[in-house]
Amino acid sequence: MSSSFTSFASFYETWFEQLHHLVHQLSTCPRPPTTPDHHHHLLHVVQKVISHYAEYYRVKALAAERDALAVFVAPWATTLERSLHWIAGWRPTTAFHLVYSESSIHFEAHIVDILRGFRTGDLGDLSPSQFRCVSELQCETVKEENAISEELSEWQEGASELMGACTNLDMKMGRLVSVLKKADDLRLRTVRKVVELLTPQQAVEFLIAAAELKFGVRGWGMNQDRQRGNV
């Protein structure tokens, strides 16, 4: 691993540990918020988490400019994480599957209260308008995903050009960096837009679920890699 990526791997470990601390802050937020101070506190912590993700993608973009191919390899990730990657990261539409699954889990947990007319305010209490907006955003995101995937396919189809004597490698790698940045931009925009469609309480629950999925996959992946290394 190059020195620049040793540095990025170190950044990622620190970033990942900070994410654990932020999720703890999310978990201790008052839910549901019962005062204006509670409401503002939820918004503040949610914004801290979004900013944390934005910082990750900012540093990752700089790393990609130095070595786009190494970003694709993602040496800081586990084998399991890499197997789930879409253009060096999680697939943006995963966010919608997470919203739907968490909504179902919360709804089932409080179904008696909901049927009695009590509002829980959590992800199980999404309004028809919210479901419609989430669905519309999902469709838009699928279109953008497909467009970026097509752009990567075009780059890959031109792989034979890499062996040509007149190939401008800097231009070729520049196109790959562009694809990477578009993918990461879509990932971050998707999280931001989903959060905007939710109430502060629902946004907290969504961000906790997203982080716990990330923690779970990485933890399982690390265990699998250790076992594979011991064979």
Side-chain angles (χ1 to χ4, degrees):
M1 196 187 303
S2 67
S3 60
S4 63
F5 272 85
T6 299
S7 175
F8 184 78
S10 177
F11 160 80
Y12 183 76
E13 289 300 321
T14 300
W15 180 89
F16 197 77
E17 184 60 32
Q18 290 173 340
L19 182 61
H20 273 282
H21 292 304
L22 287 171
V23 170
H24 175 70
Q25 292 182 38
L26 288 171
S27 300
T28 56
C29 284
R31 288 179 284 160
T34 56
T35 69
D37 285 344
H38 288 169
H39 183 83
H40 291 311
H41 179 65
L42 261 64
L43 290 174
H44 174 68
V45 179
V46 165
Q47 186 54 51
K48 283 176 65 175
V49 176
I50 297 297
S51 296
H52 191 59
Y53 281 114
E55 175 66 3
Y56 167 70
Y57 291 122
R58 184 190 70 81
V59 177
K60 184 181 173 187
L62 294 175
E65 290 173 0
R66 291 192 295 269
D67 193 341
L69 295 179
V71 169
F72 260 94
V73 175
W76 56 87
T78 65
T79 305
L80 176 61
E81 287 173 300
R82 288 193 291 272
S83 75
L84 298 171
H85 277 178
W86 170 80
I87 311 185
W90 58 275
R91 186 175 286 275
T93 45
T94 302
F96 303 102
H97 299 302
L98 195 59
V99 169
Y100 296 138
S101 62
E102 287 297 309
S103 178
S104 177
I105 291 170
H106 283 274
F107 179 82
E108 291 175 4
H110 302 291
I111 188 169
V112 174
D113 290 336
I114 293 172
L115 291 176
R116 289 176 176 172
F118 295 112
R119 300 300 300 273
T120 60
D122 58 21
L123 280 172
D125 199 16
L126 290 174
S127 69
S129 174
Q130 284 179 304
F131 270 118
R132 184 179 66 254
C133 289
V134 169
S135 179
E136 291 172 353
L137 179 58
Q138 181 179 11
C139 291
E140 294 172 8
T141 305
V142 167
K143 290 179 182 178
E144 288 198 65
E145 264 189 16
N146 291 340
I148 296 171
S149 293
E150 181 63 28
E151 192 170 341
L152 177 61
S153 294
E154 291 174 0
W155 186 90
Q156 292 170 331
E157 288 169 2
S160 58
E161 300 173 5
L162 293 173
M163 309 310 294
C166 299
T167 299
N168 186 328
L169 287 178
D170 287 341
M171 182 179 296
K172 189 73 174 175
M173 288 300 108
R175 286 183 59 198
L176 183 59
V177 171
S178 175
V179 172
L180 279 165
K181 288 184 177 180
K182 287 180 181 179
D184 281 344
D185 176 66
L186 181 57
R187 280 184 266 266
L188 183 58
R189 280 192 291 114
T190 299
V191 171
R192 280 180 166 151
K193 288 182 177 180
V194 168
V195 165
E196 288 173 2
L197 295 176
L198 304 175
T199 66
Q201 178 183 349
Q202 292 166 345
V204 166
E205 292 166 352
F206 166 71
L207 291 173
I208 289 174
E212 287 181 342
L213 176 61
K214 191 175 187 68
F215 298 155
V217 170
R218 184 165 181 79
W220 191 24
M222 292 177 70
N223 288 336
Q224 292 295 312
D225 284 351
R226 277 195 292 267
Q227 292 176 16
R228 191 175 296 109
N230 290 333
V231 174

